[in-house]
Amino acid sequence: MTNPELFQRPIVKMVSNKIAIATVSLGQHATHTLDQKILAAAQHGFAGIELVYPDLSAYAETNNLSISTAAETIKELCANHKLAIVSLAPFENFEGSSTPLEKRLETAKHWVGIARKLGALYLQIPSHYKAEESAGDEALRISDLQKLADIGSAEQPVVSIAYEALSWGTYYSTWEDSLYVVEQVSRSNFGLCLDNFHVITKLWASPFEASGKLPNADNDLAQSLRRFKDHCPLDKIFYLQFSDGERFDPPFSNKHPWYLQGEAPEFTWSKHARPFPLESELGGYMPVVDVARTWIVDAGFEGWVSLEVFDRRMREEGFSVETAARRGIESWGKLKVELEKTSL
């Protein structure tokens, strides 16, 4: 006779994604050097890093190297520690900018060249968020991004462009917006970087509500995740980023010490209060698991997952990069456990 309990056991779906961490998420004080961060990431079991350009620039300056030589040195250091360089980030406010195109393309060639020297898989570009510096022409924005992708594919190895919609982006602020941009650019080396923080702060979380949630939060997020499952092509997802967010208590206002006139509240939130996923002890409360389950388990995504957090505590000189690396890998372990719990 069949044991009915067999049909009640959870199905375990193994999550086998390679895990990376952004170098900015390992420490933000001048004493937190790039070589220290690379060593800590490797020792704590990360398979890759997202290299933040200011970290590379600081390393070059400290060691009296050109940025190009620094890139070659860091590539070798990462290879020695068996760490992939997933991306060079963030190439900001490029598309549709009111500054001269020729100047922007020179900057783009520099960034792509450094990414190529690093052996980075991707150059990560967030959506433009400075409205006062934008020409406001969509055809121009798409054309600029096509030129960027073509610079990435002009030489070997190809550098792919990972486009991310910021929740405070001027024109593109949702994952659907970024997918639209990817479709319009229509280049094989131009795809998506999806970050759960931007989806959640656009649809679910609010710094102004005592509950920390928008009025229709759960329904809006659920509908977005359903649309994702139905409409987002897996082959256009280059990599994923995850973090949590702290609830504002008391709610955010212009009296808050982090308030900066003219800055989007989501940007303020992002800079100061994004711990690692599921760090509830540090105030994390966002539905990270719901998003991650849809993006990774339900979608069958097997590519890179990166932890990109901005924790104000990491700006202190006494903070340890080893502490950040340990927190990060423990966070990923907790998230994996939750993702591998799916039931019949």
Side-chain angles (χ1 to χ4, degrees):
M1 183 175 176
T2 303
N3 185 348
E5 291 184 1
L6 292 176
F7 295 96
Q8 298 174 11
R9 292 176 183 169
I11 297 173
V12 177
K13 292 188 177 181
M14 300 306 295
V15 174
S16 57
N17 304 77
K18 290 182 179 179
I19 184 69
I21 188 168
T23 58
V24 72
S25 305
L26 288 163
Q28 297 177 39
H29 191 271
T31 58
H32 301 150
T33 62
L34 182 54
D35 48 346
Q36 290 175 354
K37 295 178 181 185
I38 288 168
L39 180 60
Q43 288 180 336
H44 285 80
F46 287 94
I49 59 169
E50 284 191 85
L51 181 50
V52 177
Y53 192 100
D55 279 351
L56 179 63
S57 179
Y59 179 84
E61 184 176 351
T62 300
N63 292 279
N64 197 27
L65 302 172
S66 69
I67 195 75
S68 180
T69 301
E72 293 171 344
T73 303
I74 291 301
K75 177 183 180 181
E76 183 177 357
L77 182 61
C78 286
N80 290 341
H81 288 291
K82 297 181 171 54
L83 277 178
I85 300 178
V86 178
S87 71
L88 177 65
F91 187 48
E92 296 182 309
N93 295 307
F94 169 76
E95 77 276 22
S97 174
S98 54
T99 57
L101 176 61
E102 183 178 349
K103 182 178 180 181
R104 285 185 286 125
L105 290 178
E106 281 303 310
T107 303
K109 288 175 184 176
H110 168 76
W111 275 71
V112 169
I114 295 301
R116 190 170 279 122
K117 282 188 178 295
L118 288 165
L121 302 175
Y122 305 107
L123 175 65
Q124 192 264 344
I125 174 170
S127 58
H128 199 292
Y129 61 87
K130 292 186 176 180
E132 70 279 6
E133 297 178 9
S134 174
D137 184 330
E138 178 164 285
L140 178 61
R141 292 195 294 273
I142 298 302
S143 175
D144 287 350
L145 292 171
Q146 288 173 328
K147 290 181 174 66
L148 176 61
D150 292 344
I151 291 170
S153 62
E155 298 177 29
Q156 295 294 324
V158 170
V159 175
S160 291
I161 313 301
Y163 189 76
E164 173 188 26
L166 304 179
S167 59
W168 58 89
T170 303
Y171 301 104
Y172 309 116
S173 60
T174 68
W175 72 262
E176 287 105 329
D177 290 341
S178 57
L179 178 58
Y180 169 79
V181 170
V182 167
E183 291 170 340
Q184 294 302 304
V185 170
S186 189
R187 297 290 192 272
S188 60
N189 68 324
F190 193 92
L192 295 168
C193 168
L194 297 174
D195 185 327
N196 77 300
F197 182 83
H198 297 298
V199 171
I200 290 171
T201 54
K202 185 72 176 180
L203 297 173
W204 189 92
S206 170
F208 301 107
E209 304 290 336
S211 66
K213 295 172 61 174
L214 292 165
N216 205 34
D218 294 331
N219 182 64
D220 287 347
L221 180 61
Q223 287 190 16
S224 176
L225 295 178
R226 279 195 293 270
R227 290 194 301 272
F228 179 90
K229 286 190 281 190
D230 291 341
H231 300 296
C232 189
L234 194 61
D235 64 342
K236 285 301 181 183
I237 304 173
F238 284 173
Y239 69 99
L240 305 176
Q241 294 175 325
F242 289 97
S243 66
D244 213 314
E246 297 177 44
R247 190 196 317 266
F248 279 76
D249 183 18
F252 191 58
S253 71
N254 59 8
K255 302 292 193 298
H256 197 281
W258 296 343
Y259 175 80
L260 186 62
Q261 187 173 1
E263 183 173 86
E266 298 89 351
F267 192 9
T268 304
W269 200 347
S270 174
K271 292 193 301 183
H272 297 287
R274 285 175 68 174
F276 288 104
L278 307 184
E279 286 193 318
S280 57
E281 69 278 11
L282 295 179
Y285 77 105
M286 292 180 173
V288 181
V289 174
D290 293 341
V291 179
R293 181 176 288 120
T294 298
W295 287 0
I296 297 174
V297 179
D298 296 347
F301 180 76
E302 297 179 346
W304 280 99
V305 170
S306 182
L307 302 181
E308 185 195 42
V309 311
F310 297 89
D311 183 345
R312 63 194 177 279
R313 303 165 189 87
M314 295 183 183
R315 298 178 196 147
E316 299 171 5
E317 184 175 1
F319 184 84
S320 164
V321 296
E322 288 78 15
T323 297
R326 175 186 53 77
R327 281 173 51 191
I329 209 68
E330 288 177 354
S331 163
W332 173 241
K334 288 190 289 186
L335 185 55
K336 270 188 70 176
V337 167
E338 293 302 316
L339 294 181
E340 290 174 350
K341 290 180 187 175
T342 55
S343 58
L344 283 168

